[in-house]
Amino acid sequence: MASSTGTPKVTSVVDLPSSDAKWVKLQKATYVDAKGKERIWEIASRKTTGSAGVDAVAMGNIIYHPSKPPSTIVVIQFRPPVGGFTVEWPAGLIDADEKPEEAAVRELYEETGYKGKVISTSPPVAADPGMTSANLCLCMVEIHLNEGDPEPEQHLDEGEDIQRVNIPIAELYDRLEEFAKEGYVIAAKLYHWAAGAQYAIDHPELFTRLGKKGQ
Amino acid sequence: MASSTGTPKVTSVVDLPSSDAKWVKLQKATYVDAKGKERIWEIASRKTTGSAGVDAVAMGNIIYHPSKPPSTIVVIQFRPPVGGFTVEWPAGLIDADEKPEEAAVRELYEETGYKGKVISTSPPVAADPGMTSANLCLCMVEIHLNEGDPEPEQHLDEGEDIQRVNIPIAELYDRLEEFAKEGYVIAAKLYHWAAGAQYAIDHPELFTRLGKKGQ
């Protein structure tokens, strides 16, 4: 995605000692397996995990509008780790002593300008447990708009450049597939949510509970 | 989860220089943002990414049986990065020159003993794009069983200890919530798929496409 002033790009990538890193670190865990054998595992961790033990929050969001189809807002931004533009739900790190729900409302407001209401919070789930200790909570957030409400202003930190895209929820899965074909990198968590929803819509008979048929 | 011979545990965690790591590394990316300003970002990467540029594959799976409800198999294993037992869909790293679909069938067989058929493959999606370059494909796999088929044997690598749990697909979301309450760590990708499916089942009206009502 070309920005109004230029397209970001990675210009160099060099090895980084843990001691020089502010945000991440490499660790070697020694563990004993079920048979009593000592083994090792390499771990990438965040240095910033707060007292609550949860790194981040992602905001699954549903926007209700009187005359538009129910939708969700995704954000597009340049992500240096993947060297390209990602499509994700709004998300952010949880500040020290902040609750996931507080971080969800704050980060949604900063990244999108919308004020949402958290309707559910997941347990802490592991971002990529074969490689990292990083975890997050998924907060589902509802945003209720009135007819004619203007698109709100974002409240981004200096240096943040985040595009918002509003997608009818019924089209989310197809739109993510299209974004991928156009070269955007879809975040695994958003992709999985959309794929799960689409699978349930396409195969409702699989989700009929025993004893609940016809409900 | 207590194994038959003992409960694994992490006994020590120490810093690890990238040069001593076999699987992961820390990197510092220098990039130019949309305004032309030079910035840096810290990245955790896999050292093992193959020629195809995709690290891993996860197997979303649906098991069809003549007389049992459609189900999915999840795996429980001790994951040193989170210091506990995780609940995940079967997954694994893609070997060099292996296609995601080949890795999906191979890894599903190794971890569960089941032979599945890949019915769809996602684009490469980013595991945690704010922190890592790691990516994966989600392969949806169907497993068709006959009445009376015995539970197959796993074909695990030495040192792997992976428990299989078969869950009716209609109960997946609720069962993941229960697992979390019992102290298991749910993988974010599986949780998101289940949450998306449950959301679509609970809110089918949100997924009605304009012009397709009544279909």
Side-chain angles (χ1 to χ4, degrees):
Chain A
M1 164 171 274
S3 133
S4 55
T5 48
T7 300
K9 65 176 179 179
V10 171
T11 53
S12 81
V13 178
V14 297
D15 281 354
L16 174 68
S18 279
S19 53
D20 292 351
K22 181 179 176 188
W23 301 94
V24 291
K25 61 186 171 188
L26 282 193
Q27 294 177 305
K28 182 174 76 170
T30 303
Y31 71 104
V32 180
D33 75 12
K35 292 177 180 162
K37 183 174 167 61
E38 190 170 280
R39 296 177 179 279
I40 63 164
W41 199 277
E42 299 172 5
I43 307 173
S45 297
R46 288 196 178 275
K47 287 188 169 181
T48 51
T49 309
S51 56
V54 184
D55 293 306
V57 64
M59 283 71 78
N61 65 88
I62 312 288
I63 303 176
Y64 294 90
H65 185 278
S67 61
K68 296 178 184 172
S71 64
T72 192
I73 203 163
V74 300
V75 291
I76 293 179
Q77 62 195 301
F78 183 76
R79 288 290 207 178
V82 300
F85 287 88
T86 56
V87 181
E88 307 172 55
W89 264 336
L93 296 180
I94 299 175
D95 288 345
D97 302 323
E98 194 177 37
K99 291 180 182 171
E101 294 79 7
E102 294 166 343
V105 171
R106 175 181 57 75
E107 284 279 354
L108 183 74
Y109 180 70
E110 290 175 9
E111 292 194 2
T112 73
Y114 287 104
K115 293 186 177 178
K117 181 183 174 186
V118 176
I119 58 166
S120 68
T121 302
S122 79
V125 293
D128 193 8
M131 177 178 169
T132 168
S133 61
N135 64 3
L136 70 141
C137 288
L138 170 65
C139 284
M140 289 302 295
V141 176
E142 286 185 358
I143 300 164
H144 291 268
L145 301 182
N146 296 310
E147 196 68 52
D149 278 352
E151 186 171 31
E153 280 187 25
Q154 295 165 291
H155 302 81
L156 300 174
D157 289 338
E158 194 264 326
E160 281 189 311
D161 184 12
I162 296 178
Q163 312 292 326
R164 302 165 290 183
V165 179
N166 196 311
I167 300 174
I169 197 81
E171 299 172 14
L172 179 60
Y173 179 76
D174 288 346
R175 290 287 297 276
L176 294 183
E177 291 281 343
E178 287 168 15
F179 272 122
K181 285 177 186 155
E182 292 167 11
Y184 294 89
V185 179
I186 315 300
K189 297 182 288 286
L190 172 60
Y191 184 89
H192 277 68
W193 194 94
Q198 190 65 45
Y199 207 89
I201 294 298
D202 290 342
H203 304 276
E205 72 284 359
L206 297 183
F207 294 85
T208 306
R209 291 176 188 239
L210 289 179
K212 287 194 177 182
K213 283 182 182 173
Q215 283 193 352
Chain B
M1 163 172 275
S3 127
S4 55
T5 49
T7 300
K9 65 175 179 180
V10 171
T11 53
S12 82
V13 178
V14 298
D15 281 355
L16 174 69
S18 279
S19 52
D20 293 352
K22 182 180 176 188
W23 301 95
V24 292
K25 60 187 170 187
L26 282 192
Q27 294 177 306
K28 182 174 75 170
T30 304
Y31 69 104
V32 180
D33 74 12
K35 292 177 180 164
K37 183 173 166 64
E38 189 169 279
R39 296 177 178 278
I40 63 163
W41 198 278
E42 299 171 5
I43 307 173
S45 297
R46 288 196 178 276
K47 287 189 169 182
T48 51
T49 310
S51 56
V54 183
D55 293 306
V57 63
M59 284 71 78
N61 66 88
I62 312 288
I63 302 176
Y64 293 90
H65 186 277
S67 62
K68 295 178 184 174
S71 64
T72 191
I73 205 163
V74 301
V75 292
I76 294 180
Q77 62 195 304
F78 183 76
R79 287 290 207 180
V82 301
F85 287 89
T86 56
V87 180
E88 307 172 54
W89 263 336
L93 296 181
I94 299 175
D95 287 344
D97 302 323
E98 195 178 36
K99 291 179 182 171
E101 293 80 6
E102 294 166 343
V105 171
R106 175 182 58 76
E107 285 279 354
L108 183 72
Y109 181 70
E110 291 175 8
E111 292 194 1
T112 73
Y114 286 104
K115 293 185 177 177
K117 181 183 174 187
V118 176
I119 58 165
S120 68
T121 302
S122 79
V125 294
D128 193 6
M131 176 178 171
T132 168
S133 61
N135 65 1
L136 70 143
C137 288
L138 171 64
C139 284
M140 289 303 294
V141 176
E142 286 184 357
I143 301 164
H144 291 268
L145 301 182
N146 296 311
E147 196 69 51
D149 277 353
E151 186 171 33
E153 282 188 22
Q154 295 164 291
H155 303 83
L156 300 174
D157 289 338
E158 194 266 326
E160 280 190 312
D161 184 12
I162 297 178
Q163 311 292 325
R164 302 166 290 183
V165 180
N166 195 309
I167 300 175
I169 197 80
E171 299 173 13
L172 179 60
Y173 178 76
D174 288 347
R175 290 287 296 278
L176 295 183
E177 292 279 344
E178 287 168 14
F179 272 122
K181 285 178 185 154
E182 291 166 11
Y184 294 88
V185 179
I186 316 301
K189 297 182 288 286
L190 172 60
Y191 184 88
H192 277 69
W193 195 94
Q198 190 65 46
Y199 207 89
I201 294 297
D202 290 343
H203 304 276
E205 73 284 0
L206 297 183
F207 293 84
T208 306
R209 291 176 188 239
L210 289 179
K212 288 194 176 183
K213 281 181 182 174
Q215 283 192 354

